[in-house]
Amino acid sequence: MSEAIPYTVDARPDTGLNNVKIGIWLFLASEVMLFGALFAAYILLRVGADEWPVGSEILNVPLATLNTVVLISSSVTMVMAWASLIRKDFGKYRLYMGLTILCALGFLVIKYIEYSSKIHHGYLPETNTFLAIYFTLTGLHGLHVVGGAAMNAYLWGPGAKMWKTAPQQFINRVEASGLFWHFVDLVWIFLFPVLYLL
Amino acid sequence: MADHSHEHHPELGFWRKYVFSVDHKVIGIQYAITGLLFLLMGFCLMMLMRWQLAYPGEALPILGSLFGEDKMPGGIMLPEFYNQLGAMHGTIMVFLGVVPLAVGGFGNYVVPLQIGAPDMAFPRLNMMSYWVYLMGGLVMVASFFVPGGAAQSGWTSYPPLANIASSGQTFWLLGMVLLITSSLFGAVNFITTIIQLRADGLTFFKLPFFVWAQFVTAFLLLLAFPPLEAAGFMQLMDRLMDTSFFMPSGLVVSGEVLQNSGGGSPLLWQHLFWFLAHPEVYVLILPALGIVAEVIANNTRKPLWGYKSLVYSVIFLGFMSFIVWAHHMFITGMGSFMNAFFQTTTMIISIPSVIILTALIFSLWGGSIRFNTPMLFAVAFLPMFGIGGLTGLPLGLSASDIHLHDTYYVIAHFHYVVAPGTIFGLFAGIYYWYPKATGRMMNETLGKIHFWGSLICMNGIFLPMFVQGMAGMQRRLYDGGSIYAHAQETLDLHLMIGVSAWLMAIFQIPFIINFFLSLKKGKAVSENPWHATTLEWAAPSPPPHGNFATEPVVYGNPYEYSVPGADKDYSPQFEPTQTTPPPGEAEAQPAGG
């Protein structure tokens, strides 16, 4: 396939940025609007509700705390993966990226345990508006975790071939994937207090 | 500035070249053709509605039998089917017709050429955005064939009605999620392309106005659509998982209290919907404004009057469009403080629109105007958009909106903005860039028949609606208000509107013939048939994959026409001959003023 534009790894001098970085930041801006709308909906529904359950009484706070730790750790390993590439240590990259993916899977497993115990106790989205927004927000966030993990798995496995052919482009890809991953973490850092603690 | 490759590109196979192409020009044409087909489809839905309104309760001859007993028993249209036509007409025209044509079509084709880039920044993402759009469109259209038919709750899909509507509404929501995803890909691509791939010397204040319009439009798409996507997810949850985000407690439907968990707010949907849908109005109009500016500058042979004020206005317009959404909700009982706030911001947003329109009108002053077909459409755009804009003011003021809300007046107002406004702008663009895309001119005689017929019929359709609306005719009645005493005096106008609509259809035939005939029979042209100044005219017609033979370099401002002392009446941006005054000075005084 012929590409009209060869990929440019260097930043454009007058903007100081490369294409991928602008692209991923714009995408994240739109994600902020997406989750922002859901958080706004949460506020509006809660303000207008006659009664609103206390999250910590229905939801499992210790499990969610554990999940918070898992997810924040994965952000750290993500940065380490990228930094290893900068230091040209591909083995370390594989290790840290692998840990990031494992953390993501761990998060999903814990989330699954939470979900199934909710459903087991008859706490369904249709039970009340609090659980509806809980399942919508955490569900959408969970889909983002799945997406980020899939992207990282690609960059760990078949996508890593690029390290041989176009190392700088590969580093840029890992960086963009990392920015997305930090965003997913950040959303969870908002979700955790809003749903579980407040 | 990016490393452009100008080596020979290997010949591509048919599928890669025309179907799954990553070339922005092919994708632009795919978008444009698909968008035009959807426009035609939305137009046909409208003609069925107009038949029903002109002859309520009478059988539709010949065609009526085609639709089957569940939609038109004995050829007589059921109210449910009328509602489907209404909802789908709005959705198809806005989300599947005008936006894909204006942004996906013109934006994709013209923007990289006008900034001197070989392609978009992310070519494969570009291809994906087209195919996701097409999938969304097919899901929408497929909803006509599910049990219960397509969405029926208007293009706004207000709950609680939309929550309990038939399964077509689920298709509508899925289609919207796909369309929003597609426009998100497009927006990321456009902004990155415009920031990163400008040619050497092309600073932001040397960009053609069309690029600016697309730039602001892309930001609106990027930031305004996700809230509707969130709302779409929530409505899907309501419909499929029995949640009640938009369902209040104790709702009575058909005499029975609905069993839902309750506690939701129907107004929440309206807030999220209009937070998208007001900026969406500018997504429709801004590309058209950009096209009109290009065509007017070219055909008056003068620099655009007040280029810088146009640019600042369009940026301000984009910013303000995010804080006016609730002027669609004056009668929902938000309270007078909120009404006052949104009324004020709405009045403020009219200022940049007026500046843009005024600058375009001033651009005509003292020019030796060439009245070719694109110019006719561009000039007609000005008063049509003017009528649409000015009639919006009474709707933006909460007191007068109480009377006019949800009447035919509203329909007339926004159609003046979108139909003879935006779509005329898009027609101007089609006639203007057709020679660039195909290497041949469109036929002027057919073009002028198309223009004059459309101009007269458009006004025949929409002008009477102001009268009907002020008389109090409600907008979504399937019998056109014939059972209401207060509407009786204006019922005759339905017939006039209907006849105008069918004549309008006939006057599109010359355009369709022209579009295809000129591919083979049109006059062959070189790269710059209009003697224009912007960068796209430096590329061959049609441009090859990779666009420019040599990487273009920009020397001057975008609209250097009739420069004193120059040897011809236009000095293209890509030619170093002109003496370049600093931006902002050349256009400060109207020539001949």
Side-chain angles (χ1 to χ4, degrees):
Chain A
M1 190 178 76
S2 86
E3 292 279 339
I5 301 188
Y7 183 83
T8 49
V9 292
D10 303 323
R12 182 184 161 106
D14 58 350
T15 62
L17 293 161
N18 59 47
N19 296 354
V20 171
K21 201 171 272 183
I22 292 187
I24 194 74
W25 275 110
L26 290 169
F27 175 68
L28 292 182
S30 86
E31 292 276 83
V32 168
M33 296 304 286
L34 178 68
F35 281 98
L38 285 166
F39 278 111
Y42 167 88
I43 293 169
L44 207 134
L45 289 169
R46 182 166 180 170
V47 166
D50 297 330
E51 48 185 321
W52 191 262
V54 180
S56 55
E57 287 170 10
I58 299 182
L59 305 173
N60 192 333
V61 178
L63 267 189
T65 312
L66 176 63
N67 244 352
T68 311
V69 174
V70 169
L71 216 50
I72 291 176
S73 317
S74 77
S75 253
V76 175
T77 54
M78 185 82 216
V79 176
M80 305 283 271
W82 174 72
S84 313
L85 281 185
I86 301 267
R87 293 202 207 87
K88 308 212 183 329
D89 189 343
F90 187 73
K92 280 267 178 62
Y93 160 76
R94 269 267 161 89
L95 173 71
Y96 285 123
M97 194 58 139
L99 284 176
T100 309
I101 299 162
L102 282 181
C103 283
L105 295 178
F107 177 88
L108 289 171
V109 168
I110 296 171
K111 200 76 224 162
Y112 171 77
I113 295 169
E114 254 195 286
Y115 269 12
S116 54
S117 98
K118 289 285 137 339
I119 292 164
H120 184 69
H121 288 98
Y123 289 134
L124 298 170
E126 67 197 69
T127 310
N128 57 37
T129 308
F130 169 72
L131 282 168
I133 196 88
Y134 164 78
F135 276 106
T136 309
L137 271 169
T138 54
L140 191 64
H141 177 260
L143 284 178
H144 279 77
V145 173
V146 171
M151 187 65 211
N152 284 342
Y154 172 77
L155 291 174
W156 185 87
K161 273 185 291 195
M162 192 179 250
W163 177 246
K164 294 270 188 303
T165 53
Q168 187 57 44
Q169 185 177 356
F170 184 65
I171 291 174
N172 289 350
R173 282 188 175 186
V174 172
E175 189 183 8
S177 184
L179 284 169
F180 177 77
W181 192 248
H182 299 324
F183 174 80
V184 173
D185 284 7
L186 192 67
V187 170
W188 178 257
I189 290 168
F190 277 92
L191 281 179
F192 178 51
V194 161
L195 293 173
Y196 291 82
L197 303 180
L198 287 177
Chain B
M1 186 80 62
D3 285 272
H4 301 173
S5 74
H6 299 293
E7 74 272 18
H8 177 70
H9 294 288
E11 201 53 41
L12 300 163
F14 172 82
W15 288 95
R16 267 283 164 215
K17 200 168 174 189
Y18 297 110
V19 184
F20 297 103
S21 175
V22 289
D23 184 351
H24 74 98
K25 298 181 294 297
V26 179
I27 296 167
I29 291 169
Q30 286 173 332
Y31 258 118
I33 303 273
T34 321
L36 281 168
L37 286 175
F38 275 120
L39 278 184
L40 187 64
M41 182 178 172
F43 188 79
C44 293
L45 300 185
M46 176 277 278
M47 295 215 293
L48 287 175
M49 290 162 77
R50 289 310 333 174
W51 173 271
Q52 163 68 16
L53 291 170
Y55 307 103
E58 288 181 34
L60 179 68
I62 308 163
L63 279 175
S65 57
L66 290 177
F67 286 91
E69 291 296 303
D70 58 332
K71 294 183 169 69
M72 287 197 185
I76 298 169
M77 190 182 292
L78 289 176
E80 292 81 18
F81 187 52
Y82 179 85
N83 286 344
Q84 292 173 28
L85 292 177
M88 295 305 282
H89 166 74
T91 309
I92 288 176
M93 282 299 199
V94 171
F95 294 106
L96 296 172
V98 174
V99 174
L101 179 57
V103 180
F106 284 108
N108 253 319
Y109 198 95
V110 177
V111 165
L113 284 167
Q114 278 196 333
I115 63 173
D119 205 323
M120 297 284 269
F122 308 114
R124 274 180 289 182
L125 189 69
N126 203 15
M127 173 179 81
M128 205 150 83
S129 83
Y130 170 76
W131 290 102
V132 174
Y133 151 67
L134 188 66
M135 239 155 48
L138 294 178
V139 169
M140 285 270 178
V141 175
S143 68
F144 271 112
F145 303 101
V146 299
Q152 296 179 30
S153 312
W155 80 289
T156 53
S157 283
Y158 279 177
L161 200 55
N163 269 18
I164 57 175
S166 62
S167 55
Q169 181 65 26
T170 306
F171 276 67
W172 188 91
L173 290 165
L174 289 172
M176 284 307 284
V177 168
L178 286 171
L179 292 174
I180 292 169
T181 308
S182 150
S183 72
L184 176 65
F185 293 161
V188 168
N189 216 341
F190 274 111
I191 298 172
T192 312
T193 305
I194 294 170
I195 293 177
Q196 293 289 91
L197 300 184
R198 283 167 290 122
D200 264 338
L202 189 59
T203 57
F204 270 98
F205 275 104
K206 285 178 182 163
L207 288 177
F209 183 63
F210 178 74
V211 177
W212 268 109
Q214 290 284 352
F215 192 53
V216 175
T217 304
F219 270 103
L220 299 185
L221 288 172
L222 184 80
L223 301 177
F225 270 63
L228 184 66
E229 193 157 22
F233 289 147
M234 285 194 271
Q235 201 174 76
L236 274 173
M237 290 285 284
D238 274 5
R239 292 180 55 83
L240 302 176
M241 309 286 282
D242 294 324
T243 60
S244 53
F245 287 118
F246 304 127
M247 301 289 274
S249 312
L251 195 70
V252 178
V253 177
S254 313
E256 282 176 46
V257 179
L258 270 195
Q259 293 305 318
N260 63 63
S261 51
S265 159
L267 278 188
L268 174 59
W269 170 270
Q270 291 199 22
H271 280 293
L272 292 172
F273 180 85
W274 287 114
F275 187 81
L276 150 93
H278 197 82
E280 172 74 13
V281 175
Y282 296 97
V283 171
L284 298 170
I285 195 72
L286 289 181
L289 272 172
I291 294 170
V292 166
E294 298 292 307
V295 173
I296 283 182
N298 178 256
N299 287 302
T300 53
R301 316 305 292 162
K302 279 175 55 200
L304 269 186
W305 194 86
Y307 168 81
K308 271 199 165 179
S309 54
L310 282 169
V311 171
Y312 288 129
S313 295
V314 84
I315 296 170
F316 184 58
L317 195 71
F319 174 73
M320 287 298 289
S321 71
F322 284 101
I323 43 175
V324 296
W325 78 90
H327 70 215
H328 297 266
M329 300 165 64
F330 284 144
I331 63 164
T332 58
M334 294 185 297
S336 55
F337 176 78
M338 293 290 272
N339 281 4
F341 173 79
F342 283 103
Q343 167 175 308
T344 308
T345 54
T346 304
M347 292 305 118
I348 291 171
I349 203 174
S350 65
I351 296 168
S353 325
V354 170
I355 291 173
I356 293 172
L357 203 56
T358 310
L360 290 175
I361 292 171
F362 278 9
S363 297
L364 299 172
W365 183 270
S368 52
I369 300 176
R370 305 187 302 206
F371 281 110
N372 45 35
T373 310
M375 187 59 174
L376 287 174
F377 274 108
V379 171
F381 170 93
L382 301 176
M384 296 293 109
F385 178 63
I387 293 173
L390 289 174
T391 53
L393 295 180
L395 296 171
L397 295 164
S398 63
S400 43
D401 182 59
I402 290 169
H403 176 66
L404 296 170
H405 190 92
D406 263 351
T407 64
Y408 267 86
Y409 182 93
V410 179
I411 301 194
H413 151 67
F414 72 71
H415 277 88
Y416 259 101
V417 174
V418 177
T422 300
I423 294 181
F424 274 17
L426 299 180
F427 275 135
I430 291 175
Y431 284 98
Y432 182 63
W433 280 306
Y434 189 91
K436 176 51 60 188
T438 64
R440 291 175 187 275
M441 296 291 264
M442 288 180 90
N443 183 295
E444 278 289 306
T445 313
L446 285 173
K448 279 174 180 155
I449 294 171
H450 174 216
F451 167 73
W452 288 107
S454 300
L455 180 67
I456 293 164
C457 293
M458 280 284 190
N459 288 287
I461 295 171
F462 298 116
L463 215 48
M465 290 187 190
F466 285 121
V467 180
Q468 289 183 321
M470 282 187 279
M473 179 107 64
Q474 286 293 303
R475 71 191 278 195
R476 288 194 172 117
L477 303 171
Y478 93 109
D479 65 351
S482 59
I483 56 165
Y484 287 98
H486 65 258
Q488 294 303 316
E489 312 249 319
T490 58
L491 284 182
D492 290 347
L493 291 173
H494 278 315
L495 188 60
M496 174 189 173
I497 298 171
V499 171
S500 301
W502 285 83
L503 283 175
M504 174 87 192
I506 292 169
F507 277 113
Q508 302 315 301
I509 295 171
F511 169 70
I512 296 169
I513 294 174
N514 199 354
F515 193 88
F516 290 105
L517 200 66
S518 302
L519 280 177
K520 288 264 177 289
K521 297 278 167 79
K523 194 176 94 198
V525 292
S526 62
E527 66 264 24
N528 195 356
W530 304 113
H531 295 162
T533 52
T534 42
L535 270 181
E536 76 270 33
W537 304 103
S541 311
H545 195 176
N547 293 345
F548 297 93
T550 53
E551 192 173 329
V553 179
V554 171
Y555 299 94
N557 295 318
Y559 306 109
E560 292 296 337
Y561 291 103
S562 308
V563 180
D567 51 351
K568 54 189 182 203
D569 77 337
Y570 65 110
S571 317
Q573 274 186 300
F574 45 87
E575 285 179 14
T577 50
Q578 60 185 334
T579 50
T580 307
E585 276 181 33
E587 63 266 23
Q589 316 116 0

